[in-house]
Amino acid sequence: MDNPDSDAPQAHSTAVQHGQGSTFEPARTRSRAQSFVSEHLFVEDTVEPTGTIASSAVNLANTILGSGMLSMPNAMAALGLVFGSAVIVFSGFMSGLGLYLLSRCARRTQGRDSSFFAVSKLTYPNAAVFFDAAIAIKCFGVSISYLIIFGDLMPEIVEALGFESFWLLSRNFWITFAILALMPLAFQRRLDALKYTSFTALLAVVYLFVVVALYYFTPTREPLPKGDVVWFKFSSSFFTHLPVFVFAFTCHQNIFSVYNELRDNSSKQVNGTIAVSVGSACGVYQWIAILGYLTFGSKVAPNLLTMYNSNLVITLCRLSIAILVLFSYPLQCHPARNCLDKVTTAIYNAWKKEPEFEAINDAPDDEESDIMADDTATSAPVVHFMSPIKHVSITMALMILSYVVAISVTSLDLVLSFVGSTGSTTISFILPGVFYYKMHQHSRWRLMKVLSVFITIYGVFVLVFCLGANIARVISGDI
C-alpha cells in the first residue's frame, strides 16, 4: 500500500459527505481526520477491515461461552427441565434481539467508529460518560472472575496430575502466570486478532460437550449421586437464578467492535454473525444443562465439574475450562479499554472545550430504512483514534488492577450474581432498547420499535426483581 494512512480519511470523508444537507466543509473534516491518523502509530487501525462472519462469530461465541456453562444444570434444576429449557431459549432470543438493536444503532454512527459512547452521544449525550464507565466496570469485574477461576482450577489440576511442588499448588502463582501469559493477547488492538485463541478456547467447549454426554449415555459409568428430576418448577429462587441465564448470553460489549471490523458490515453479514454466535451458544447451553440435570437431578452442584469423580478425563476437562477462561480474559479487556478511552477523551474534551460533534447525513443501508425522511439528519462524534501511549497505559492499568483484586479475593460468586442482574441486564436489554427507541422516536411504530420498548421493560423487570432477590439473599444470610 503506497499510503497506509489513506484508508481512514477516505472512509471518514465518505461517511460525512452523504446527502446534501451537510453544514460543514468536507475538506476541513478530512484534514482533521488526517491529523488524527498522522499522530497514530498503530498500522492495524488504518488497514482494511479483516473480519468475517466466521471469525467474528467465534469471538462473540467465546465471549458468551464461559464459566456460565458449568452453572447451567444447577440453574435448570431450580426451574425444572421444560421451564429451564424454555428460559434458555428465551434468554438467547432476548440477547440476540439486543445485539440486533445495537447493530442497527451502529449504522447511525459515523464510518467504522461505532461504540456505546458514540451511540450515547447521539441519544443521551449527557449520560454517555456514565454508560461507558458502567460497561467498563462490568467488563473489568468479569475479567477478574476469569483470573480467579483460573487460579482456583490450576492447583487442583496439577495435584491430580501428581505434581507436589509448592509453587504449582499455589493459586497466586497461577494468577501471576496467567497475567504474564495474557499480555500479548490483552494488548491486541483489534478484536479480530483474537480469533485464533478464541477458536482454541472453543475446543474446550467441545470437550465439555463430549464429557457431559459420555457420563450420561455410557451405561458402564461409575455410580453418580442422583436426585429427583422435575419437568416444571417455579419458586422465589427463579429470580436469583434468572441472572445466570442473562449473564450467560452477555456479549454485547463486543458487538460494536464486530461491526467496525467486519470486512462487509452490511446488515446481512452482521445479522448472520449474531445468529451463528447466539444460536450455537444456545445449543451448547441446552445440551449441557439438560444432560447435566438428567445425570444428577436436584443434587447437581453450581459447578458441574465438581460432581464427577476425579480421573484423567475430568482433569483434562478442568484444564480445558481453565484455558477457556484464560483466553476469555482479553475479550473483556478489549471493550473495557475502549470504554475507558472514550470516558477519558470526553473528560479531556470538556476540559479543553474541544468540539465533540460534527454534522452528518445518514445514507440508507442495504435494508429498507424505517427512519422518516425528516429524521435522517443528525450529528456524530468526531472520529477518534486511541494513541499508542494511551492504549498501553489503560491496558496496563486494567491488568495490574485485575491482578491485585484476583490475588486478594477468593470468591466472586455473589459479585457475579449482582453483575448479572445489573451490568449484564443493562448492556443486554435496557441500553439497546432505549438507544433504538430514541433514534426512532419520530418514526412510525413498526415491529422493531415495539420490540425495543418490550426489551427495555423486560430489562427493568430483571434489574428490579433479580437485584431485589439477591439483596434479600444477602440479608437472610443465604450465601
Side-chain angles (χ1 to χ4, degrees):
M1 183 182 295
D2 294 331
N3 181 9
D5 294 337
S6 63
D7 290 341
Q10 289 175 358
H12 177 77
S13 60
T14 300
V16 300
Q17 293 182 61
H18 284 308
Q20 301 292 325
S22 297
T23 59
F24 59 93
E25 296 176 14
R28 186 167 60 210
T29 303
R30 210 164 29 244
S31 175
R32 181 164 61 250
Q34 286 173 343
S35 68
F36 273 117
V37 176
S38 65
E39 297 172 0
H40 187 66
L41 302 179
F42 285 103
V43 176
E44 57 265 42
D45 276 335
T46 60
V47 297
E48 291 291 335
T50 59
T52 63
I53 288 182
S55 66
S56 300
V58 164
N59 280 327
L60 275 186
N62 192 31
T63 307
I64 297 173
L65 296 168
S67 56
M69 293 184 299
L70 303 179
S71 60
M72 272 293 160
N74 178 260
M76 177 170 282
L79 306 181
L81 190 64
V82 175
F83 190 31
S85 296
V87 171
I88 290 176
V89 173
F90 180 74
S91 298
F93 169 77
M94 295 300 287
S95 175
L97 176 60
L99 289 168
Y100 174 78
L101 294 178
L102 289 176
S103 71
R104 299 299 299 170
C105 292
R107 297 196 173 281
R108 300 298 304 278
T109 63
Q110 187 170 352
R112 290 176 179 265
D113 194 43
S114 66
S115 64
F116 273 104
F117 188 84
V119 174
S120 299
K121 279 295 185 181
L122 296 177
T123 51
Y124 303 96
N126 294 330
V129 171
F130 300 102
F131 288 156
D132 266 65
I135 294 167
I137 293 172
K138 182 265 177 189
C139 295
F140 177 69
V142 176
S143 67
I144 292 172
S145 74
Y146 289 151
L147 291 178
I148 291 176
I149 293 170
F150 184 80
D152 290 341
L153 281 176
M154 289 307 299
E156 298 177 0
I157 293 169
V158 296
E159 185 178 15
L161 293 176
F163 296 95
E164 299 179 355
S165 170
F166 169 77
W167 292 105
L168 294 180
L169 297 178
S170 168
R171 71 183 293 272
N172 290 353
F173 167 80
W174 286 109
I175 293 175
T176 305
F177 169 84
I179 211 71
L180 294 175
L182 285 169
M183 280 190 174
L185 300 177
F187 278 94
Q188 289 294 327
R189 187 80 171 179
R190 285 176 169 265
L191 190 69
D192 193 57
L194 302 173
K195 59 188 174 185
Y196 298 113
T197 53
S198 292
F199 178 77
T200 303
L202 288 180
L203 294 178
V205 177
V206 176
Y207 188 59
L208 178 63
F209 196 90
V210 173
V211 167
V212 172
L214 178 68
Y215 274 81
Y216 176 73
F217 290 109
T218 305
T220 57
R221 69 182 187 272
E222 296 181 30
L224 301 172
K226 185 66 175 290
D228 297 330
V229 174
V230 297
W231 293 97
F232 185 92
K233 179 181 178 182
F234 185 83
S235 65
S236 59
S237 64
F238 167 76
F239 296 106
T240 59
H241 285 87
L242 183 58
V244 174
F245 297 98
V246 174
F247 182 82
F249 281 99
T250 302
C251 63
H252 301 64
Q253 63 270 22
N254 283 328
I255 187 61
F256 290 112
S257 294
V258 167
Y259 175 84
N260 295 336
E261 297 177 18
L262 271 173
R263 186 183 299 121
D264 173 12
N265 64 353
S266 63
S267 292
K268 181 178 180 181
Q269 297 291 307
V270 176
N271 294 344
T273 301
I274 294 172
V276 171
S277 56
V278 176
S280 59
C282 187
V284 170
Y285 284 146
Q286 288 281 21
W287 179 271
I288 294 175
I290 291 174
L291 294 187
Y293 179 47
L294 290 178
T295 302
F296 300 105
S298 57
K299 293 185 178 180
V300 65
N303 185 341
L304 178 64
L305 288 182
T306 62
M307 297 295 297
Y308 298 108
N309 298 315
S310 184
N311 54 44
L312 183 60
V313 172
I314 297 302
T315 298
L316 292 178
C317 190
R318 288 173 178 162
L319 178 60
S320 67
I321 296 300
I323 295 173
L324 170 65
V325 297
L326 186 69
F327 286 160
S328 296
Y329 179 93
L331 295 173
Q332 299 295 331
C333 187
H334 184 276
R337 178 178 58 234
N338 288 345
C339 289
L340 290 176
D341 171 51
K342 297 296 191 298
V343 170
T344 54
T345 299
I347 295 174
Y348 176 82
N349 288 340
W351 178 50
K352 287 288 188 177
K353 297 182 179 179
E354 294 284 343
E356 295 183 354
F357 289 92
E358 55 192 4
I360 181 173
N361 214 341
D362 275 348
D365 61 7
D366 52 300
E367 291 185 354
E368 181 182 357
S369 176
D370 64 349
I371 304 171
M372 298 176 65
D374 60 357
D375 194 37
T376 56
T378 185
S379 59
V382 174
V383 171
H384 165 71
F385 293 125
M386 195 188 317
S387 69
I389 294 178
K390 195 173 184 181
H391 173 88
V392 172
S393 301
I394 294 178
T395 306
M396 283 299 299
L398 286 170
M399 297 193 75
I400 292 173
L401 286 175
S402 63
Y403 171 75
V404 171
V405 176
I407 288 289
S408 306
V409 179
T410 58
S411 177
L412 276 182
D413 289 346
L414 186 60
V415 174
L416 290 183
S417 295
F418 280 94
V419 169
S421 57
T422 55
S424 296
T425 301
T426 302
I427 294 174
S428 303
F429 309 134
I430 298 176
L431 290 185
V434 297
F435 284 160
Y436 188 90
Y437 176 82
K438 182 67 174 180
M439 284 189 170
H440 299 79
Q441 60 180 334
H442 301 303
S443 304
R444 295 183 296 274
W445 280 92
R446 293 185 178 180
L447 176 61
M448 295 314 301
K449 189 173 180 179
V450 174
L451 288 177
S452 70
V453 175
F454 171 73
I455 196 174
T456 302
I457 295 174
Y458 173 72
V460 172
F461 168 83
V462 174
L463 176 64
V464 172
F465 284 93
C466 294
L467 180 60
N470 279 304
I471 292 174
R473 176 185 167 196
V474 173
I475 295 175
S476 64
D478 185 22
I479 56 175

